[in-house]
Amino acid sequence: MEPNTFDDLTKALATATSRRQALKTIAATTLGGILGLSGIGTVFAKACTPIGRHCNRKTVCCGGASCDPTTSKCACPSGTTLLNGACCPNANVCGTTCLAAPCDSSQCLTCDSSTGTCVSSCDAGQCQTCQGGTCASSCNACSTCQGGTCVSSCSSGQDCLSNGTCASPCTPGVPCSCGFCFPDPSGADYCSPDANGTNLCANDGQCNQGYFCYFTVFDPSQSYCLQAC
């Protein structure tokens, strides 16, 4: 505490002031002493040495750099790049920006160096979405992408099968509007204009587009493809 401050405190306590005023004086003096001590740390704090400047083993280099013993200069360690006055991990460099973390490829994100940000590599205009780290169409086998939207080729009420066939569901024993009702290996039932089949099958994927696999309950090995309607 400085002499003048101590004198002021003594005078304040010696006068006929209230106890509250005396406490205020003590509090103000104490706070000033604390702030004065904190200023000492600022005065003695050692500034870091900028990257590229001369250094020694005791030097604290700025921006995550260290003193290179071969050049005696502050330099970025291996695996990092000098960017905006600091050392940035190579994987985090995106244009002139040091990202907090690398762009996540599992989310199909890639660096846009012009903006210094991570952006999707998938083309929304082609109806692409990130699926397991790969950009793929979000449209099913019966749909096409039109202006960034999947448009189905199936009529209302039809199911899209794995081979791109639009099939009309039906109820066994109830006539179809376009033919007859036949069971499918998936457990569903679909309409076919007739029972004339083509090749043998175990699932719809083994039939050409426009056909579904008729599951012959009495002998599944003899299941064959029927035209859908």
Side-chain angles (χ1 to χ4, degrees):
M1 184 182 299
E2 297 181 2
N4 292 339
T5 304
F6 180 77
D7 291 341
D8 292 339
L9 175 61
T10 303
K11 292 177 181 178
L13 293 176
T15 58
T17 57
S18 66
R19 179 180 297 177
R20 179 178 299 175
Q21 183 61 40
L23 291 176
K24 286 183 177 180
T25 303
I26 294 173
T29 304
T30 303
L31 179 59
I34 293 174
L35 293 177
L37 290 175
S38 65
I40 294 175
T42 303
V43 172
F44 289 99
K46 188 175 182 180
C48 63
T49 300
I51 298 173
R53 296 287 183 86
H54 287 284
C55 59
N56 55 48
R57 59 187 181 86
K58 295 182 179 181
T59 302
V60 177
C61 297
C62 300
S66 58
C67 189
D68 187 341
T70 60
T71 62
S72 295
K73 292 183 178 181
C74 287
C76 290
S78 176
T80 64
T81 299
L82 176 59
L83 196 64
N84 301 322
C87 301
C88 179
N90 291 339
N92 295 18
V93 175
C94 183
T96 58
T97 302
C98 184
L99 302 174
C103 296
D104 190 352
S105 60
S106 68
Q107 298 299 318
C108 302
L109 296 178
T110 186
C111 165
D112 181 353
S113 58
S114 64
T115 61
T117 59
C118 294
V119 297
S120 176
S121 57
C122 300
D123 188 349
Q126 295 299 319
C127 302
Q128 290 184 337
T129 57
C130 187
Q131 301 175 27
T134 302
C135 293
S137 175
S138 59
C139 301
N140 62 26
C142 303
S143 301
T144 56
C145 182
Q146 299 180 22
T149 302
C150 295
V151 179
S152 177
S153 59
C154 297
S155 300
S156 176
Q158 287 188 314
D159 290 347
C160 178
L161 306 185
S162 60
N163 62 348
T165 296
C166 293
S168 301
C170 57
T171 302
V174 178
C176 290
S177 60
C178 62
F180 307 92
C181 190
F182 296 92
D184 183 271
S186 65
D189 297 279
Y190 296 114
C191 295
S192 178
D194 55 52
N196 296 320
T198 56
N199 57 287
L200 296 177
C201 59
N203 54 63
D204 298 326
Q206 295 178 349
C207 299
N208 293 328
Q209 187 174 13
Y211 290 76
F212 67 93
C213 188
Y214 164 39
F215 180 67
T216 53
V217 180
F218 56 88
D219 187 359
S221 65
Q222 296 302 307
S223 297
Y224 55 91
C225 300
L226 288 179
Q227 184 179 359
C229 62

